[in-house]
Amino acid sequence: MGGNSGQPGTHTYTSLEEDGPLAAGEQPRRPTGRLIMHSMAMFGREFCYAVEAAYVTPVLLSVGLPKSLYSVVWLLSPVLGFLLQPVVGSASDYCRAGWGRRRPYILALGIMMLLGMALYLNGDTVVSALIADPRRKLIWAITITMMGVVLFDFAADFIDGPIKAYLFDVCSHQDKERGLHYHALFTGFGGALGYLLGAIDWAHLKLGRVLGTEFQVMFFFSALVLTLCFIIHLCSIPEAPLRDTAKDSLLQQAPQDPPLSSDKAYEYGSIEKVKNGYVHSELTVQGEKTKNPAEQIQRTMTMKSLLRALVNMPSHYRCLCISHLIGWTAFLSNMLFFTDFMGRIVYHGNPYSAHNSTEFLIYERGVEVGCWGLCINAVFSSLYSYFQKALVSYIGLKGLYFMGYLLFGLGTGFIGLFPNVYSTLALCASFGVMSSTLYTVPFNLMAEYHREEQEEQKQKARAGAPDSGGRGQGLDCATLTCMVQLAQILVGGGLGFLVNMAGSVVVVVISASLVALMGCCFVALFVRYVQ
């Protein structure tokens, strides 16, 4: 607020929207069409994810990737994401580009996704055209394909945080809830369409013959869908850029003014304060005046200060992150091995048999049916996201959260105990319930926490109490979404060991069920729900 700009050590940024008639109020109500346009980014992202799920393993096998490098491919991206996502989320809270705070990051990450797809779907073809030596060709093909997979995963995982923060920045509380439901709805539609296109045998169609291989066909569709969806998303709702209003007041500060107290120097989220549409940055360390605002921003966003901030986060944020980690660990444990489970356990095939053997052909048939199961998951995720809006008025966010984990835990448990083609495909609907729950309920709870804190700040401001600060929404969204990367690390590092110990992929499905049922207890007992 303007009254705080004269405090020493406080560098104040205000939104350009402060000059408008809604400066002191809530964000205007967004039309449904704008929220749908905003959700198109999730449609394009999930479409490309589905293409990767269908084609990345055949691509890696076709270029001759050694088995010893598989763990590197799948673990490098989530490790990088887990380490860097809070830093980027915090940096987006400060972005002063004229286009807004979040959209420059979304655009950059979207370009990285496009580049990653181009490398892993076309790298082998390009290398074959440029290099004749077989050994050099093999090395370069493996290197470029690995770089493409890691780059795509890194950007696709990263981009969820800025997209959610963008929604939170430009929408009222009611529109945040509507927007999150549309996000989940279009996430399911995008995944379903991606799986359906991946199931088509493009090699025997005219488009496949024109473009070369099915890999090039899927790159054409993926690049087209991703580009169109992100253009629509970036043009959906304008962002107001941050404006520096403290430069002049900093020069006029009285030397006798006391520095800010140090007890808030490393408070979780002290990087940003949000109040009535204004953004304030707390940039002071005890006993030190602000000398260079840009220098202070850089100091605040170091990894050390962010780690301290994350360690000191309020308990309800920490419990929400833990519940999100449990949910994604269960969900990924099942999804990453589901097609293999269908081929080996349900269809009794053998992926290690000769490629012309009956056992191998049966295994391939099981994998194809498994892809249809994932398509059922995506479609049901969209349908359930639509009905969530009606269910939440009856059972609340707690009921939705608990029910999502419970249905997934029971569904995967029955699949593991009674493997059958038709029952397994039917129970894939429970995967969709879990997927929709993970994409909406935790972020709805975070929006509730933010609204509660902003109301408390308004009450303190009316009473004349000093502003105790809120959290940057970019940092919060990044912290929550980086639990997905941590879940990928746990799944990638632990499930292979479990499968080797048990000698069967059934242990993966049973483990996913047990983790989800543990999550039921956690979301019921430890997650805080705003009344």
Side-chain angles (χ1 to χ4, degrees), residues 317-332:
Y317 278 90
R318 186 181 299 111
C319 289
L320 182 60
C321 288
I322 293 173
S323 68
H324 204 50
L325 173 63
I326 293 172
W328 273 105
T329 300
F331 187 69
L332 291 175

Side-chain angles (χ1 to χ4, degrees), residues 179-200:
L180 288 171
H181 287 303
Y182 284 125
H183 278 198
L185 181 70
F186 281 92
T187 294
F189 281 153
L193 183 59
Y195 288 124
L196 286 175
L197 287 178
I200 297 174

Side-chain angles (χ1 to χ4, degrees), residues 9 14 39 122 145 150 159-160 168 185-186 200 231 340 345 444 459 471:
T14 60
S39 303
N122 302 300
T145 304
V150 171
I159 205 169
D160 191 46
F168 286 7
L185 181 70
F186 281 92
I200 297 174
I231 289 175
D340 189 48
I345 305 302
N444 272 322
Q459 293 176 4
R471 269 165 300 284

Side-chain angles (χ1 to χ4, degrees), residues 65-133:
L65 182 72
K67 290 184 177 181
S68 59
L69 294 179
Y70 271 91
S71 59
V72 176
V73 173
W74 296 119
L75 288 178
L76 185 58
S77 172
V79 168
L80 289 174
F82 180 71
L83 294 176
L84 297 179
Q85 194 156 353
V87 178
V88 174
S90 175
S92 72
D93 286 331
Y94 285 115
C95 180
R96 297 175 60 199
W99 208 27
R101 288 191 289 171
R102 318 298 180 186
R103 288 190 291 180
Y105 286 87
I106 295 172
L107 176 62
L109 291 168
I111 293 173
M112 289 172 64
M113 287 176 63
L114 192 62
L115 179 59
M117 285 191 302
L119 290 177
Y120 83 77
L121 286 173
N122 302 300
D124 188 33
T125 302
V126 173
V127 169
S128 299
L130 297 177
I131 300 176
D133 181 60

Side-chain angles (χ1 to χ4, degrees), residues 290-428:
T290 301
K291 300 173 184 175
N292 186 321
E295 180 182 350
Q296 289 282 34
I297 288 175
Q298 186 66 34
R299 181 186 301 118
T300 305
M301 291 193 300
T302 60
M303 178 64 75
K304 181 179 179 180
S305 62
L306 278 173
L307 288 176
R308 291 196 186 191
L310 297 177
V311 168
N312 294 324
M313 69 169 66
S315 59
H316 54 281
Y317 278 90
R318 186 181 299 111
C319 289
L320 182 60
C321 288
I322 293 173
S323 68
H324 204 50
L325 173 63
I326 293 172
W328 273 105
T329 300
F331 187 69
L332 291 175
S333 297
N334 181 71
M335 299 301 287
L336 292 180
F337 288 84
F338 180 71
T339 53
D340 189 48
F341 172 83
M342 287 291 291
R344 289 203 217 184
I345 305 302
V346 178
Y347 273 79
H348 307 288
N350 185 357
Y352 302 109
S353 299
H355 285 199
N356 58 353
S357 65
T358 303
E359 290 83 0
F360 184 81
L361 295 176
I362 291 175
Y363 174 81
E364 283 194 326
R365 176 59 182 165
V367 171
E368 291 175 2
V369 175
C371 289
W372 284 107
L374 295 179
C375 186
I376 292 172
N377 149 64
V379 171
F380 205 83
S381 175
S382 291
L383 295 175
Y384 182 72
S385 299
Y386 179 78
F387 290 111
Q388 266 190 354
K389 292 186 288 184
L391 287 173
V392 71
S393 60
Y394 292 101
I395 61 177
L397 289 177
K398 183 175 183 179
L400 284 178
Y401 214 4
F402 181 84
M403 187 171 68
Y405 281 55
L406 179 64
L407 291 179
F408 180 79
L410 294 177
T412 51
F414 280 119
I415 287 173
L417 294 175
F418 309 104
N420 176 272
V421 177
Y422 299 106
S423 63
T424 298
L425 289 177
L427 289 170
C428 283

